[in-house]
Amino acid sequence: DAATGEASAAAIREQGHQATFMRVDMTDAASVADFAATAQAACGPIDVLINAAGWGRTAPFVEGTPEFWGKLVALNFVGPMMLAKALLPGMMERTRGKIVNIASDAGRVGSLGETVYAGAKGGLIAFTKSLARETARYQINVNCVCPGPTDTPLMAAVPDKVKDALIKAIPFRRLGKPEEVADAVLFFAGPGAAYITGQVLSVSGGL
């Protein structure tokens, strides 16, 4: 939400860096276009895009509705594509840039009760691999991070019984930490990944 975004930007500024929070609705094409234009006007050409927006809810597939499925696909798959399309021309013009898409291990191996979410994230993984091939001639790196079960507000809403079962299935016997996912994103966004593209990195404690 806006309060969290503003607080995060303020925390970054307190560390001596520049940060600005801008609100965007990743399910709305006009909002994404406005965000991309505003960001580039304020910051100049974009060097790194991290598609980190995502949302899901555990429920049996047969209980889902087209409206619910549409929201899942719009936020987890179509939104990242729209934002990439809006920012790629500037990267292509300068023949450099990095895109890091955050998908999910659900998109790699499936997830009970998250069938459509897994499908959307699987689509994001395939999109990553294909876009990496298409933009390699412009020296643009496109990679994907796939978190496993991670200690986030969404996970806090999961029933304890389900959470305990997940932890028992993870070889490290604990949930991931958000900062551990961030470390993987930073690697793909940094100079150490200059010759890496089209790759998928699972951050899941061995799950």
Side-chain angles (χ1 to χ4, degrees), residues 42-66:
C43 306
I46 303 302
D47 292 311
V48 179
L49 165 62
I50 300 168
N51 272 312
W55 175 81
R57 188 176 68 220
T58 302
F61 171 71
V62 295
E63 294 179 7
T65 64

Short mmCIF file of all heavy atoms in Angstrom, two decimals, residues 42-66:
data_model
loop_
_atom_site.label_atom_id
_atom_site.label_comp_id
_atom_site.label_asym_id
_atom_site.label_seq_id
_atom_site.Cartn_x
_atom_site.Cartn_y
_atom_site.Cartn_z
N ALA A 42 11.30 11.42 -14.47
CA ALA A 42 11.92 11.81 -13.20
C ALA A 42 13.35 11.30 -13.06
O ALA A 42 14.20 11.99 -12.49
CB ALA A 42 11.07 11.30 -12.04
N CYS A 43 13.61 10.10 -13.55
CA CYS A 43 14.89 9.43 -13.30
C CYS A 43 15.78 9.30 -14.52
O CYS A 43 16.94 8.90 -14.40
CB CYS A 43 14.65 8.04 -12.72
SG CYS A 43 13.59 8.01 -11.25
N GLY A 44 15.22 9.55 -15.70
CA GLY A 44 15.98 9.29 -16.91
C GLY A 44 15.79 7.85 -17.35
O GLY A 44 14.94 7.13 -16.81
N PRO A 45 16.56 7.40 -18.32
CA PRO A 45 16.43 6.02 -18.81
C PRO A 45 16.59 5.01 -17.67
O PRO A 45 17.44 5.18 -16.79
CB PRO A 45 17.57 5.90 -19.83
CG PRO A 45 17.86 7.30 -20.25
CD PRO A 45 17.62 8.14 -19.03
N ILE A 46 15.80 3.97 -17.72
CA ILE A 46 15.81 2.96 -16.66
C ILE A 46 16.86 1.90 -16.96
O ILE A 46 16.89 1.32 -18.04
CB ILE A 46 14.42 2.31 -16.52
CG1 ILE A 46 13.34 3.37 -16.26
CG2 ILE A 46 14.43 1.26 -15.42
CD1 ILE A 46 13.57 4.23 -15.03
N ASP A 47 17.73 1.64 -16.00
CA ASP A 47 18.77 0.62 -16.15
C ASP A 47 18.31 -0.75 -15.68
O ASP A 47 18.72 -1.77 -16.24
CB ASP A 47 20.02 1.01 -15.36
CG ASP A 47 20.72 2.23 -15.95
OD1 ASP A 47 20.95 2.24 -17.17
OD2 ASP A 47 21.00 3.17 -15.19
N VAL A 48 17.49 -0.79 -14.63
CA VAL A 48 17.08 -2.06 -14.04
C VAL A 48 15.58 -2.03 -13.76
O VAL A 48 15.07 -1.08 -13.14
CB VAL A 48 17.83 -2.35 -12.71
CG1 VAL A 48 17.36 -3.67 -12.11
CG2 VAL A 48 19.33 -2.37 -12.94
N LEU A 49 14.89 -3.06 -14.22
CA LEU A 49 13.47 -3.25 -13.90
C LEU A 49 13.33 -4.53 -13.11
O LEU A 49 13.77 -5.60 -13.55
CB LEU A 49 12.63 -3.35 -15.18
CG LEU A 49 11.20 -3.90 -15.00
CD1 LEU A 49 10.37 -3.02 -14.09
CD2 LEU A 49 10.53 -4.09 -16.36
N ILE A 50 12.75 -4.44 -11.93
CA ILE A 50 12.46 -5.62 -11.12
C ILE A 50 10.95 -5.75 -11.01
O ILE A 50 10.29 -4.91 -10.38
CB ILE A 50 13.09 -5.53 -9.72
CG1 ILE A 50 14.60 -5.40 -9.84
CG2 ILE A 50 12.72 -6.75 -8.88
CD1 ILE A 50 15.29 -5.01 -8.55
N ASN A 51 10.39 -6.76 -11.65
CA ASN A 51 8.95 -7.00 -11.58
C ASN A 51 8.66 -7.84 -10.34
O ASN A 51 8.74 -9.06 -10.36
CB ASN A 51 8.48 -7.73 -12.85
CG ASN A 51 8.11 -6.77 -13.96
OD1 ASN A 51 7.37 -5.81 -13.73
ND2 ASN A 51 8.61 -7.01 -15.15
N ALA A 52 8.34 -7.15 -9.25
CA ALA A 52 8.18 -7.82 -7.96
C ALA A 52 6.72 -7.92 -7.51
O ALA A 52 6.44 -8.53 -6.49
CB ALA A 52 8.98 -7.08 -6.89
N ALA A 53 5.81 -7.32 -8.27
CA ALA A 53 4.40 -7.39 -7.86
C ALA A 53 3.89 -8.82 -8.00
O ALA A 53 4.21 -9.53 -8.94
CB ALA A 53 3.56 -6.44 -8.72
N GLY A 54 3.09 -9.24 -7.05
CA GLY A 54 2.51 -10.58 -7.10
C GLY A 54 1.47 -10.75 -6.02
O GLY A 54 1.49 -10.07 -5.00
N TRP A 55 0.55 -11.67 -6.28
CA TRP A 55 -0.52 -11.92 -5.30
C TRP A 55 -1.16 -13.27 -5.60
O TRP A 55 -1.23 -13.70 -6.76
CB TRP A 55 -1.57 -10.81 -5.39
CG TRP A 55 -2.76 -11.05 -4.49
CD1 TRP A 55 -2.85 -10.80 -3.16
CD2 TRP A 55 -4.03 -11.60 -4.88
NE1 TRP A 55 -4.08 -11.15 -2.69
CE2 TRP A 55 -4.84 -11.64 -3.73
CE3 TRP A 55 -4.55 -12.06 -6.09
CZ2 TRP A 55 -6.15 -12.14 -3.74
CZ3 TRP A 55 -5.84 -12.56 -6.12
CH2 TRP A 55 -6.63 -12.57 -4.95
N GLY A 56 -1.61 -13.93 -4.55
CA GLY A 56 -2.32 -15.19 -4.73
C GLY A 56 -3.14 -15.52 -3.50
O GLY A 56 -3.02 -14.87 -2.46
N ARG A 57 -3.98 -16.54 -3.63
CA ARG A 57 -4.79 -17.00 -2.51
C ARG A 57 -5.04 -18.49 -2.70
O ARG A 57 -5.41 -18.93 -3.79
CB ARG A 57 -6.11 -16.25 -2.45
CG ARG A 57 -6.93 -16.55 -1.19
CD ARG A 57 -8.20 -15.70 -1.15
NE ARG A 57 -9.14 -16.08 -2.19
CZ ARG A 57 -9.87 -15.22 -2.90
NH1 ARG A 57 -9.72 -13.92 -2.69
NH2 ARG A 57 -10.70 -15.63 -3.82
N THR A 58 -4.81 -19.26 -1.65
CA THR A 58 -4.97 -20.71 -1.75
C THR A 58 -6.44 -21.09 -1.73
O THR A 58 -7.19 -20.71 -0.83
CB THR A 58 -4.24 -21.39 -0.58
OG1 THR A 58 -2.86 -21.01 -0.61
CG2 THR A 58 -4.35 -22.90 -0.68
N ALA A 59 -6.85 -21.84 -2.75
CA ALA A 59 -8.23 -22.32 -2.84
C ALA A 59 -8.29 -23.43 -3.89
O ALA A 59 -7.49 -23.41 -4.85
CB ALA A 59 -9.18 -21.17 -3.24
N PRO A 60 -9.19 -24.39 -3.74
CA PRO A 60 -9.32 -25.44 -4.76
C PRO A 60 -9.66 -24.83 -6.13
O PRO A 60 -10.45 -23.89 -6.21
CB PRO A 60 -10.48 -26.30 -4.24
CG PRO A 60 -10.51 -26.05 -2.76
CD PRO A 60 -10.11 -24.61 -2.60
N PHE A 61 -9.10 -25.39 -7.17
CA PHE A 61 -9.31 -24.87 -8.52
C PHE A 61 -10.80 -24.82 -8.88
O PHE A 61 -11.27 -23.84 -9.47
CB PHE A 61 -8.56 -25.73 -9.53
CG PHE A 61 -8.89 -25.40 -10.96
CD1 PHE A 61 -8.47 -24.22 -11.53
CD2 PHE A 61 -9.65 -26.28 -11.73
CE1 PHE A 61 -8.78 -23.90 -12.84
CE2 PHE A 61 -9.97 -25.98 -13.04
CZ PHE A 61 -9.54 -24.79 -13.60
N VAL A 62 -11.54 -25.85 -8.51
CA VAL A 62 -12.96 -25.93 -8.91
C VAL A 62 -13.81 -24.88 -8.21
O VAL A 62 -14.96 -24.64 -8.60
CB VAL A 62 -13.55 -27.33 -8.67
CG1 VAL A 62 -12.86 -28.35 -9.56
CG2 VAL A 62 -13.42 -27.74 -7.20
N GLU A 63 -13.28 -24.25 -7.17
CA GLU A 63 -14.03 -23.20 -6.48
C GLU A 63 -13.70 -21.81 -7.03
O GLU A 63 -14.28 -20.81 -6.60
CB GLU A 63 -13.72 -23.24 -4.98
CG GLU A 63 -14.23 -24.50 -4.29
CD GLU A 63 -13.90 -24.52 -2.81
OE1 GLU A 63 -13.39 -23.48 -2.30
OE2 GLU A 63 -14.12 -25.56 -2.15
N GLY A 64 -12.78 -21.74 -7.99
CA GLY A 64 -12.39 -20.46 -8.55
C GLY A 64 -13.45 -19.91 -9.50
O GLY A 64 -14.35 -20.62 -9.96
N THR A 65 -13.32 -18.63 -9.80
CA THR A 65 -14.22 -17.97 -10.73
C THR A 65 -13.40 -17.29 -11.82
O THR A 65 -12.22 -16.96 -11.61
CB THR A 65 -15.07 -16.90 -10.02
OG1 THR A 65 -14.20 -15.87 -9.53
CG2 THR A 65 -15.86 -17.51 -8.87
N PRO A 66 -13.99 -17.05 -12.99
CA PRO A 66 -13.25 -16.34 -14.04
C PRO A 66 -12.74 -14.97 -13.57
O PRO A 66 -11.64 -14.55 -13.98
CB PRO A 66 -14.28 -16.19 -15.16
CG PRO A 66 -15.19 -17.37 -14.97
CD PRO A 66 -15.28 -17.54 -13.48
#
